[in-house]
Amino acid sequence: MLKAWPQGALGALNMAQVVPFVRRSLDRIFKFTDPPSFSFQRMADDKMIFNFKSQEDLDEWQVLSDASLGGKSSARLSVTSSGKAVFFGRTILEAPKGCAYGGYASMRLKEKRDWVMFSHSESETMDFCSYDGFEIRLRGDGRQYFFNVQMEYMKRSQVDAVWQYPLFTRGGPEWEIYRIPFNRLVETSAGYNQSRQSKLDLEKIKSLGVLVRDQVNGPFRIELDYIKVIKLITHQEPPGTDLRPSRLTSLTTDPKI
């Protein structure tokens, strides 16, 4: 025989009240009642690609600008005494003769090639399949830059393809850390976003770079501390999140110089 429900604070409750109360309590414990917020969290695994500690590190990079086509922009790359790369110069928007536009400069990792039989060569590539994104520590001047990624092209239409991510630098004395998921890189060609996006082959990355081309006349300066590939945990974006590349910059400020 079942014993009567004990009297007291709970004695006034009947089973019709208790069961829904228990069910609601369990639902709150085992279910998310609010949508998770959008954020990127670091995991322990990462791999340093470049840390720009010496001139030898910079020798793996090359500097390009519209000057190679007759433009008036200029750019240089140097290393500081504290082991940081400095990419600096001046952009001038006047277009070189026969070109649609000017006013750009870039630093780009030199392409390395393996020579094989019959004088055919293939680019040496990097494999980032075990990672989810890039991490870059930099200090800018308030101008907009782009982080560029190129892969060994698989078809002729991808010869000039570059996957890009915007870097909206703040300027000032603080360093910034940008974490860039691979799936946020946008395929472009000759400076234009492609309507049909190709998948970036993470096993065949051949070059990385930083580009300034923001339609501004004047000096530019950006310092780079390191570039890593990292693991990311990507939480769900809430409804209505703006996923356009111009709104995707994920950064934190780091006061250390």
Side-chain angles (χ1 to χ4, degrees):
M1 178 179 293
L2 295 174
K3 295 183 179 180
W5 190 267
Q7 298 296 315
L10 297 177
L13 298 175
N14 55 42
M15 292 302 294
Q17 295 172 310
V18 172
V19 172
F21 172 79
V22 172
R23 183 180 292 117
R24 289 195 302 272
S25 300
L26 292 175
D27 285 345
R28 291 188 66 85
I29 293 173
F30 294 108
K31 293 182 180 180
F32 290 107
T33 57
D34 298 316
S37 59
F38 175 72
S39 64
F40 295 111
Q41 295 180 353
R42 282 288 313 283
M43 291 181 67
D45 296 336
D46 58 28
K47 178 182 179 181
M48 181 70 70
I49 307 175
F50 297 102
N51 56 12
F52 307 105
K53 295 300 182 185
S54 66
Q55 183 61 46
E56 286 72 22
D57 296 320
L58 262 62
D59 289 342
E60 298 187 52
W61 297 76
Q62 60 182 332
V63 172
L64 305 169
S65 74
D66 60 32
S68 62
L69 299 175
K72 298 181 178 180
S73 299
S74 60
R76 291 182 59 190
L77 183 63
S78 64
V79 63
T80 68
S81 58
S82 58
K84 308 292 190 293
V86 183
F87 177 48
F88 64 99
R90 179 178 294 271
T91 51
I92 298 177
L93 296 180
E94 182 180 342
K97 185 177 180 179
C99 297
Y101 56 84
Y104 61 86
S106 69
M107 56 176 285
R108 187 172 69 183
L109 182 64
K110 293 178 181 177
E111 187 176 342
K112 299 178 181 179
R113 305 194 72 85
D114 284 332
W115 292 91
V116 294
M117 192 176 295
F118 306 118
S119 299
H120 175 71
S121 65
E122 295 181 347
S123 296
E124 293 184 13
T125 58
M126 296 172 280
D127 185 349
F128 296 151
C129 284
S130 299
Y131 303 91
D132 303 314
F134 293 101
E135 180 176 295
I136 309 171
R137 186 172 185 258
L138 61 83
R139 181 164 59 181
D141 54 4
R143 292 184 62 170
Q144 178 186 345
Y145 297 81
F146 287 94
F147 181 66
N148 291 348
V149 181
Q150 288 182 287
M151 71 175 186
E152 180 73 5
Y153 65 88
M154 305 302 294
K155 50 188 179 181
R156 187 169 297 277
S157 61
Q158 294 176 329
V159 172
D160 297 320
V162 178
W163 279 258
Q164 294 187 319
Y165 191 94
L167 306 172
F168 297 99
T169 66
R170 291 184 173 181
E174 294 182 330
W175 287 85
E176 303 169 75
I177 295 177
Y178 286 74
R179 297 183 181 117
I180 307 171
F182 293 144
N183 60 8
R184 296 299 190 239
L185 292 160
V186 176
E187 183 185 1
T188 68
S189 182
Y192 295 96
N193 290 1
Q194 299 302 287
S195 57
R196 302 184 70 174
Q197 293 283 304
S198 302
K199 185 177 180 180
L200 182 64
D201 190 342
L202 297 174
E203 292 184 341
K204 296 183 179 295
I205 304 301
K206 69 175 184 178
S207 186
L208 307 173
V210 175
L211 166 71
V212 56
R213 196 196 64 209
D214 56 357
Q215 297 300 303
V216 174
N217 272 314
F220 68 88
R221 178 186 173 93
I222 184 170
E223 298 175 70
L224 300 171
D225 185 6
Y226 62 73
I227 301 175
K228 296 178 179 180
V229 282
I230 60 175
K231 288 280 191 178
L232 291 165
I233 302 175
T234 307
H235 293 293
Q236 180 182 353
E237 297 93 336
T241 299
D242 188 348
L243 297 180
R244 292 175 298 174
S246 61
R247 305 293 298 173
L248 285 171
T249 302
S250 173
L251 63 86
T252 57
T253 52
D254 187 340
K256 296 179 182 178
I257 298 177

